[in-house]
């Protein structure tokens, strides 16, 4: 059974870089059948697709975040990561990682999510 | 970006009720519409994909319908474990976008 788990600091200072890692277990991140994604939801606001990556390293970013965003993959560790630079309070959110399945471009399964707060 | 509008934003119902949640897209998305359930502190769970297809393991009391811009998620007979939040998501193009969610609680 595939499982995903987010990890990283829960508190980041304004203007710094938010870094999160998603560890995939129960399956290989190198599968050619899937993509891997980050989704976030600020408290009380709408859920937002952040971006996606293929095991080869090809990335797809939300244009609203593209200038500050880097998503990378480490197949040797079965992990993929998110880095968001120059954060502000608006980046405070629950961050989820998920597998993205091309058939219907659906997210399944998801990690439990981690709350990242941007505050000094 | 395609805007997804869900209604209602909250809903109170009883065990055994039939409930319907709607999702409207700001443009034609064919049947590229997925539904998720989320309970507090838990990972979101895929319920229905491509408008109609029930994810493996999801009870048949859940069903989806629609096409174009208007979609519905129906729970035919509410069970205690169904009280949760529900979100639609369009997968017609990127950036993928979600509805604001519908919170279903016990009347």
């Amino acid at each position: 059974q595939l499982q995903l788990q987010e990890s990283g600091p829960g508190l980041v200072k304004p203007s710094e870089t938010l870094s999160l890692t998603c560890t995939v277990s129960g399956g290989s991140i190198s599968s050619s059948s899937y993509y891997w994604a980050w989704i976030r939801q600020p408290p009380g606001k709408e859920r937002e697709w952040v971006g996606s990556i293929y095991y080869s390293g090809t990335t797809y970013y939300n244009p609203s975040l593209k200038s500050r965003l880097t998503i990378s993959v480490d197949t040797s560790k079965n992990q993929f990561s998110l880095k968001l630079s120059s954060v502000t309070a608006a980046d405070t959110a629950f961050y989820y990682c998920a597998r993205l399945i091309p058939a219907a471009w659906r997210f399944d399964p998801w990690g439990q999510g981690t709350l990242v707060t941007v505050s000094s | 970006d395609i805007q997804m509008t869900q209604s209602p934003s909250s809903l109170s119902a009883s065990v055994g009720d039939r409930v319907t949640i709607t999702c409207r897209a700001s443009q034609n998305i064919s049947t590229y519409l997925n539904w998720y359930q989320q309970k507090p502190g838990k990972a979101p769970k895929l319920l229905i994909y491509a408008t109609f297809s029930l994810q493996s393991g999801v009870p048949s009391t859940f069903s989806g319908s629609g096409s174009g811009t208007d979609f519905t998620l129906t729970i035919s007979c509410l069970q205690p474990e169904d009280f949760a939040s529900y979100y639609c998501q369009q997968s017609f193009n990127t950036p993928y976008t979600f509805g604001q969610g519908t919170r279903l609680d016990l009347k």
Side-chain angles (χ1 to χ4, degrees), chain B residues 14-89:
Chain B
S14 302
V15 173
D17 283 354
R18 177 185 180 93
V19 299
T20 299
I21 298 168
T22 64
C23 184
R24 175 164 288 176
S26 61
Q27 67 182 71
N28 187 338
I29 60 169
S30 184
T31 56
Y32 288 88
L33 192 284
N34 305 318
W35 290 98
Y36 302 88
Q37 177 194 66
Q38 187 171 19
K39 298 179 181 178
K42 300 292 187 182
K45 174 185 173 183
L46 175 67
L47 294 176
I48 289 172
Y49 60 95
T51 298
F52 308 103
S53 298
L54 203 62
Q55 174 69 0
S56 175
V58 174
S60 59
T61 51
F62 289 89
S63 62
S65 64
S67 68
T69 60
D70 294 315
F71 302 86
T72 60
L73 171 70
T74 299
I75 311 172
S76 61
C77 182
L78 272 175
Q79 300 300 304
E81 60 269 24
D82 298 337
F83 293 96
S85 293
Y86 294 87
Y87 296 85
C88 61
Q89 172 237 332

Side-chain angles (χ1 to χ4, degrees), chain A residues 47 96 104 106-108 111-112, chain B residues 34 36 38 41 43 49 55 91:
Chain A
R47 196 161 285 184
Y96 299 92
R106 60 196 197 259
F107 299 103
D108 179 64
Q112 195 159 345
Chain B
N34 305 318
Y36 302 88
Q38 187 171 19
Y49 60 95
Q55 174 69 0
S91 57

